[in-house]
PDB file of all heavy atoms in Angstrom:
ATOM      1  N   ALA A 497    -256.660-173.189-109.829  1.00  0.00           N
ATOM      2  CA  ALA A 497    -255.446-173.766-109.246  1.00  0.00           C
ATOM      3  C   ALA A 497    -254.969-174.879-110.199  1.00  0.00           C
ATOM      4  O   ALA A 497    -255.752-175.753-110.562  1.00  0.00           O
ATOM      5  CB  ALA A 497    -255.761-174.320-107.880  1.00  0.00           C
ATOM      6  N   VAL A 498    -253.700-174.862-110.572  1.00  0.00           N
ATOM      7  CA  VAL A 498    -253.181-175.799-111.573  1.00  0.00           C
ATOM      8  C   VAL A 498    -251.990-176.544-110.976  1.00  0.00           C
ATOM      9  O   VAL A 498    -251.004-175.950-110.590  1.00  0.00           O
ATOM     10  CB  VAL A 498    -252.756-175.072-112.862  1.00  0.00           C
ATOM     11  CG1 VAL A 498    -252.217-176.077-113.864  1.00  0.00           C
ATOM     12  CG2 VAL A 498    -253.935-174.263-113.444  1.00  0.00           C
ATOM     13  N   ASP A 499    -252.104-177.881-110.960  1.00  0.00           N
ATOM     14  CA  ASP A 499    -250.984-178.684-110.510  1.00  0.00           C
ATOM     15  C   ASP A 499    -249.902-178.717-111.595  1.00  0.00           C
ATOM     16  O   ASP A 499    -250.208-178.965-112.776  1.00  0.00           O
ATOM     17  CB  ASP A 499    -251.446-180.107-110.194  1.00  0.00           C
ATOM     18  CG  ASP A 499    -252.048-180.229-108.818  1.00  0.00           C
ATOM     19  OD1 ASP A 499    -251.297-180.084-107.862  1.00  0.00           O
ATOM     20  OD2 ASP A 499    -253.287-180.467-108.707  1.00  0.00           O
ATOM     21  N   VAL A 500    -248.680-178.541-111.194  1.00  0.00           N
ATOM     22  CA  VAL A 500    -247.553-178.548-112.155  1.00  0.00           C
ATOM     23  C   VAL A 500    -246.559-179.647-111.910  1.00  0.00           C
ATOM     24  O   VAL A 500    -245.648-179.877-112.737  1.00  0.00           O
ATOM     25  CB  VAL A 500    -246.817-177.160-112.154  1.00  0.00           C
ATOM     26  CG1 VAL A 500    -247.751-176.074-112.585  1.00  0.00           C
ATOM     27  CG2 VAL A 500    -246.226-176.856-110.780  1.00  0.00           C
ATOM     28  N   ASP A 501    -246.723-180.389-110.828  1.00  0.00           N
ATOM     29  CA  ASP A 501    -245.770-181.443-110.495  1.00  0.00           C
ATOM     30  C   ASP A 501    -246.476-182.745-110.134  1.00  0.00           C
ATOM     31  O   ASP A 501    -247.669-182.738-109.723  1.00  0.00           O
ATOM     32  CB  ASP A 501    -244.857-181.014-109.325  1.00  0.00           C
ATOM     33  CG  ASP A 501    -243.987-179.852-109.660  1.00  0.00           C
ATOM     34  OD1 ASP A 501    -243.242-179.916-110.654  1.00  0.00           O
ATOM     35  OD2 ASP A 501    -244.038-178.827-108.926  1.00  0.00           O
ATOM     36  N   GLY A 502    -245.801-183.857-110.205  1.00  0.00           N
ATOM     37  CA  GLY A 502    -246.321-185.127-109.766  1.00  0.00           C
ATOM     38  C   GLY A 502    -247.401-185.696-110.611  1.00  0.00           C
ATOM     39  O   GLY A 502    -247.656-185.264-111.755  1.00  0.00           O
ATOM     40  N   GLU A 503    -248.089-186.710-110.097  1.00  0.00           N
ATOM     41  CA  GLU A 503    -249.129-187.412-110.834  1.00  0.00           C
ATOM     42  C   GLU A 503    -250.296-186.513-111.184  1.00  0.00           C
ATOM     43  O   GLU A 503    -251.070-186.799-112.143  1.00  0.00           O
ATOM     44  CB  GLU A 503    -249.648-188.625-110.034  1.00  0.00           C
ATOM     45  CG  GLU A 503    -248.628-189.724-109.874  1.00  0.00           C
ATOM     46  CD  GLU A 503    -249.196-190.941-109.154  1.00  0.00           C
ATOM     47  OE1 GLU A 503    -250.299-190.787-108.570  1.00  0.00           O
ATOM     48  OE2 GLU A 503    -248.552-191.975-109.165  1.00  0.00           O
ATOM     49  N   ALA A 504    -250.490-185.454-110.432  1.00  0.00           N
ATOM     50  CA  ALA A 504    -251.655-184.588-110.667  1.00  0.00           C
ATOM     51  C   ALA A 504    -251.351-183.500-111.711  1.00  0.00           C
ATOM     52  O   ALA A 504    -252.202-182.675-111.999  1.00  0.00           O
ATOM     53  CB  ALA A 504    -252.061-183.907-109.355  1.00  0.00           C
ATOM     54  N   ARG A 505    -250.158-183.493-112.267  1.00  0.00           N
ATOM     55  CA  ARG A 505    -249.758-182.483-113.230  1.00  0.00           C
ATOM     56  C   ARG A 505    -250.831-182.302-114.324  1.00  0.00           C
ATOM     57  O   ARG A 505    -251.389-183.268-114.840  1.00  0.00           O
ATOM     58  CB  ARG A 505    -248.427-182.861-113.861  1.00  0.00           C
ATOM     59  CG  ARG A 505    -247.885-181.856-114.886  1.00  0.00           C
ATOM     60  CD  ARG A 505    -246.502-182.308-115.363  1.00  0.00           C
ATOM     61  NE  ARG A 505    -246.017-181.593-116.507  1.00  0.00           N
ATOM     62  CZ  ARG A 505    -245.353-180.446-116.485  1.00  0.00           C
ATOM     63  NH1 ARG A 505    -245.098-179.854-115.305  1.00  0.00           N
ATOM     64  NH2 ARG A 505    -244.930-179.863-117.594  1.00  0.00           N
ATOM     65  N   ALA A 506    -251.117-181.052-114.614  1.00  0.00           N
ATOM     66  CA  ALA A 506    -252.122-180.655-115.645  1.00  0.00           C
ATOM     67  C   ALA A 506    -253.539-180.816-115.184  1.00  0.00           C
ATOM     68  O   ALA A 506    -254.472-180.782-115.973  1.00  0.00           O
ATOM     69  CB  ALA A 506    -251.871-181.420-116.961  1.00  0.00           C
ATOM     70  N   THR A 507    -253.714-181.018-113.851  1.00  0.00           N
ATOM     71  CA  THR A 507    -255.079-181.003-113.270  1.00  0.00           C
ATOM     72  C   THR A 507    -255.407-179.571-112.801  1.00  0.00           C
ATOM     73  O   THR A 507    -254.563-178.930-112.170  1.00  0.00           O
ATOM     74  CB  THR A 507    -255.205-181.958-112.104  1.00  0.00           C
ATOM     75  OG1 THR A 507    -254.832-183.295-112.559  1.00  0.00           O
ATOM     76  CG2 THR A 507    -256.587-181.948-111.513  1.00  0.00           C
ATOM     77  N   SER A 508    -256.609-179.122-113.089  1.00  0.00           N
ATOM     78  CA  SER A 508    -257.008-177.734-112.764  1.00  0.00           C
ATOM     79  C   SER A 508    -258.320-177.740-112.011  1.00  0.00           C
ATOM     80  O   SER A 508    -259.206-178.558-112.300  1.00  0.00           O
ATOM     81  CB  SER A 508    -257.125-176.923-114.047  1.00  0.00           C
ATOM     82  OG  SER A 508    -257.612-175.627-113.811  1.00  0.00           O
ATOM     83  N   LYS A 509    -258.431-176.802-111.036  1.00  0.00           N
ATOM     84  CA  LYS A 509    -259.667-176.685-110.248  1.00  0.00           C
ATOM     85  C   LYS A 509    -260.083-175.247-110.155  1.00  0.00           C
ATOM     86  O   LYS A 509    -259.236-174.367-109.894  1.00  0.00           O
ATOM     87  CB  LYS A 509    -259.454-177.277-108.867  1.00  0.00           C
ATOM     88  CG  LYS A 509    -259.160-178.773-108.800  1.00  0.00           C
ATOM     89  CD  LYS A 509    -258.866-179.238-107.400  1.00  0.00           C
ATOM     90  CE  LYS A 509    -260.039-179.090-106.466  1.00  0.00           C
ATOM     91  NZ  LYS A 509    -259.766-179.624-105.100  1.00  0.00           N
ATOM     92  N   LEU A 510    -261.351-174.962-110.273  1.00  0.00           N
ATOM     93  CA  LEU A 510    -261.906-173.603-110.169  1.00  0.00           C
ATOM     94  C   LEU A 510    -262.021-173.212-108.695  1.00  0.00           C
ATOM     95  O   LEU A 510    -262.732-173.871-107.942  1.00  0.00           O
ATOM     96  CB  LEU A 510    -263.239-173.528-110.901  1.00  0.00           C
ATOM     97  CG  LEU A 510    -263.941-172.161-110.860  1.00  0.00           C
ATOM     98  CD1 LEU A 510    -263.088-171.045-111.394  1.00  0.00           C
ATOM     99  CD2 LEU A 510    -265.267-172.213-111.601  1.00  0.00           C
ATOM    100  N   PHE A 511    -261.343-172.102-108.342  1.00  0.00           N
ATOM    101  CA  PHE A 511    -261.346-171.600-106.965  1.00  0.00           C
ATOM    102  C   PHE A 511    -262.178-170.386-106.753  1.00  0.00           C
ATOM    103  O   PHE A 511    -262.843-170.254-105.707  1.00  0.00           O
ATOM    104  CB  PHE A 511    -259.891-171.297-106.595  1.00  0.00           C
ATOM    105  CG  PHE A 511    -259.734-170.810-105.170  1.00  0.00           C
ATOM    106  CD1 PHE A 511    -259.885-171.624-104.087  1.00  0.00           C
ATOM    107  CD2 PHE A 511    -259.381-169.473-104.936  1.00  0.00           C
ATOM    108  CE1 PHE A 511    -259.753-171.185-102.789  1.00  0.00           C
ATOM    109  CE2 PHE A 511    -259.236-168.985-103.639  1.00  0.00           C
ATOM    110  CZ  PHE A 511    -259.393-169.861-102.563  1.00  0.00           C
ATOM    111  N   PHE A 512    -262.253-169.504-107.740  1.00  0.00           N
ATOM    112  CA  PHE A 512    -262.987-168.242-107.608  1.00  0.00           C
ATOM    113  C   PHE A 512    -263.489-167.836-108.987  1.00  0.00           C
ATOM    114  O   PHE A 512    -262.755-167.975-109.972  1.00  0.00           O
ATOM    115  CB  PHE A 512    -262.058-167.175-107.041  1.00  0.00           C
ATOM    116  CG  PHE A 512    -262.676-165.792-106.931  1.00  0.00           C
ATOM    117  CD1 PHE A 512    -263.439-165.431-105.837  1.00  0.00           C
ATOM    118  CD2 PHE A 512    -262.460-164.858-107.930  1.00  0.00           C
ATOM    119  CE1 PHE A 512    -263.961-164.157-105.741  1.00  0.00           C
ATOM    120  CE2 PHE A 512    -263.012-163.555-107.867  1.00  0.00           C
ATOM    121  CZ  PHE A 512    -263.732-163.220-106.758  1.00  0.00           C
ATOM    122  N   ARG A 513    -264.709-167.366-109.064  1.00  0.00           N
ATOM    123  CA  ARG A 513    -265.211-166.874-110.348  1.00  0.00           C
ATOM    124  C   ARG A 513    -265.818-165.503-110.178  1.00  0.00           C
ATOM    125  O   ARG A 513    -266.325-165.122-109.097  1.00  0.00           O
ATOM    126  CB  ARG A 513    -266.209-167.856-110.971  1.00  0.00           C
ATOM    127  CG  ARG A 513    -267.631-167.729-110.542  1.00  0.00           C
ATOM    128  CD  ARG A 513    -268.525-168.684-111.346  1.00  0.00           C
ATOM    129  NE  ARG A 513    -269.891-168.235-111.348  1.00  0.00           N
ATOM    130  CZ  ARG A 513    -270.957-168.955-111.039  1.00  0.00           C
ATOM    131  NH1 ARG A 513    -270.802-170.234-110.702  1.00  0.00           N
ATOM    132  NH2 ARG A 513    -272.167-168.427-111.088  1.00  0.00           N
ATOM    133  N   VAL A 514    -265.725-164.693-111.255  1.00  0.00           N
ATOM    134  CA  VAL A 514    -266.113-163.296-111.190  1.00  0.00           C
ATOM    135  C   VAL A 514    -267.550-163.090-111.703  1.00  0.00           C
ATOM    136  O   VAL A 514    -268.121-163.963-112.348  1.00  0.00           O
ATOM    137  CB  VAL A 514    -265.126-162.421-112.022  1.00  0.00           C
ATOM    138  CG1 VAL A 514    -263.747-162.498-111.416  1.00  0.00           C
ATOM    139  CG2 VAL A 514    -265.124-162.819-113.489  1.00  0.00           C
ATOM    140  N   PRO A 515    -268.148-161.907-111.471  1.00  0.00           N
ATOM    141  CA  PRO A 515    -269.446-161.585-112.020  1.00  0.00           C
ATOM    142  C   PRO A 515    -269.442-161.530-113.534  1.00  0.00           C
ATOM    143  O   PRO A 515    -268.385-161.347-114.167  1.00  0.00           O
ATOM    144  CB  PRO A 515    -269.766-160.216-111.413  1.00  0.00           C
ATOM    145  CG  PRO A 515    -268.873-160.064-110.237  1.00  0.00           C
ATOM    146  CD  PRO A 515    -267.635-160.837-110.608  1.00  0.00           C
ATOM    147  N   VAL A 516    -270.617-161.667-114.137  1.00  0.00           N
ATOM    148  CA  VAL A 516    -270.738-161.605-115.563  1.00  0.00           C
ATOM    149  C   VAL A 516    -270.172-160.306-116.116  1.00  0.00           C
ATOM    150  O   VAL A 516    -270.282-159.243-115.511  1.00  0.00           O
ATOM    151  CB  VAL A 516    -272.209-161.757-115.991  1.00  0.00           C
ATOM    152  CG1 VAL A 516    -273.053-160.589-115.484  1.00  0.00           C
ATOM    153  CG2 VAL A 516    -272.345-161.898-117.491  1.00  0.00           C
ATOM    154  N   GLY A 517    -269.480-160.373-117.216  1.00  0.00           N
ATOM    155  CA  GLY A 517    -268.894-159.214-117.847  1.00  0.00           C
ATOM    156  C   GLY A 517    -267.533-158.826-117.381  1.00  0.00           C
ATOM    157  O   GLY A 517    -266.884-157.967-117.994  1.00  0.00           O
ATOM    158  N   ALA A 518    -267.039-159.420-116.297  1.00  0.00           N
ATOM    159  CA  ALA A 518    -265.756-159.054-115.715  1.00  0.00           C
ATOM    160  C   ALA A 518    -264.653-159.987-116.170  1.00  0.00           C
ATOM    161  O   ALA A 518    -264.875-161.106-116.613  1.00  0.00           O
ATOM    162  CB  ALA A 518    -265.832-159.062-114.192  1.00  0.00           C
ATOM    163  N   GLU A 519    -263.429-159.499-116.071  1.00  0.00           N
ATOM    164  CA  GLU A 519    -262.255-160.324-116.188  1.00  0.00           C
ATOM    165  C   GLU A 519    -261.564-160.379-114.868  1.00  0.00           C
ATOM    166  O   GLU A 519    -261.716-159.450-114.041  1.00  0.00           O
ATOM    167  CB  GLU A 519    -261.297-159.865-117.299  1.00  0.00           C
ATOM    168  CG  GLU A 519    -260.603-158.570-116.976  1.00  0.00           C
ATOM    169  CD  GLU A 519    -259.484-158.181-117.962  1.00  0.00           C
ATOM    170  OE1 GLU A 519    -258.411-158.829-117.860  1.00  0.00           O
ATOM    171  OE2 GLU A 519    -259.695-157.309-118.788  1.00  0.00           O
ATOM    172  N   LEU A 520    -260.773-161.408-114.624  1.00  0.00           N
ATOM    173  CA  LEU A 520    -260.037-161.504-113.386  1.00  0.00           C
ATOM    174  C   LEU A 520    -258.591-161.197-113.612  1.00  0.00           C
ATOM    175  O   LEU A 520    -257.953-161.732-114.514  1.00  0.00           O
ATOM    176  CB  LEU A 520    -260.157-162.890-112.767  1.00  0.00           C
ATOM    177  CG  LEU A 520    -259.497-163.008-111.381  1.00  0.00           C
ATOM    178  CD1 LEU A 520    -260.300-162.180-110.380  1.00  0.00           C
ATOM    179  CD2 LEU A 520    -259.388-164.421-110.918  1.00  0.00           C
ATOM    180  N   CYS A 521    -258.047-160.288-112.785  1.00  0.00           N
ATOM    181  CA  CYS A 521    -256.633-159.923-112.841  1.00  0.00           C
ATOM    182  C   CYS A 521    -256.014-160.168-111.491  1.00  0.00           C
ATOM    183  O   CYS A 521    -256.613-160.717-110.579  1.00  0.00           O
ATOM    184  CB  CYS A 521    -256.482-158.455-113.257  1.00  0.00           C
ATOM    185  SG  CYS A 521    -257.242-158.075-114.860  1.00  0.00           S
ATOM    186  N   GLY A 522    -254.765-159.682-111.293  1.00  0.00           N
ATOM    187  CA  GLY A 522    -254.003-160.132-110.171  1.00  0.00           C
ATOM    188  C   GLY A 522    -253.417-161.489-110.618  1.00  0.00           C
ATOM    189  O   GLY A 522    -252.851-161.537-111.712  1.00  0.00           O
ATOM    190  N   PRO A 523    -253.505-162.505-109.911  1.00  0.00           N
ATOM    191  CA  PRO A 523    -253.778-162.626-108.458  1.00  0.00           C
ATOM    192  C   PRO A 523    -252.506-162.394-107.679  1.00  0.00           C
ATOM    193  O   PRO A 523    -251.401-162.341-108.261  1.00  0.00           O
ATOM    194  CB  PRO A 523    -254.295-164.038-108.295  1.00  0.00           C
ATOM    195  CG  PRO A 523    -253.565-164.802-109.409  1.00  0.00           C
ATOM    196  CD  PRO A 523    -253.376-163.846-110.532  1.00  0.00           C
ATOM    197  N   LEU A 524    -252.619-162.297-106.360  1.00  0.00           N
ATOM    198  CA  LEU A 524    -251.442-161.997-105.526  1.00  0.00           C
ATOM    199  C   LEU A 524    -251.654-162.655-104.165  1.00  0.00           C
ATOM    200  O   LEU A 524    -252.736-162.517-103.567  1.00  0.00           O
ATOM    201  CB  LEU A 524    -251.303-160.509-105.390  1.00  0.00           C
ATOM    202  CG  LEU A 524    -250.191-159.880-104.534  1.00  0.00           C
ATOM    203  CD1 LEU A 524    -250.528-159.862-103.050  1.00  0.00           C
ATOM    204  CD2 LEU A 524    -248.844-160.545-104.748  1.00  0.00           C
TER     205      LEU A 524
END
C-alpha cells in the first residue's frame, strides 16, 4: 500500500506476500 497524498506521501507498507518462487499479479 503506497500513500500518494499528504504528509505520508511515498510511505509504503507490506500488506500481502506470496510464496517463494511466485510473482504477484492483479490486484483488483
Side-chain angles (χ1 to χ4, degrees):
V498 180
D499 278 293
V500 297
D501 296 305
E503 292 184 347
R505 182 175 167 87
T507 301
S508 174
K509 295 176 66 176
L510 178 56
F511 179 71
F512 176 85
R513 85 175 204 230
V514 297
V516 64
E519 69 170 285
L520 185 68
C521 302
L524 178 280

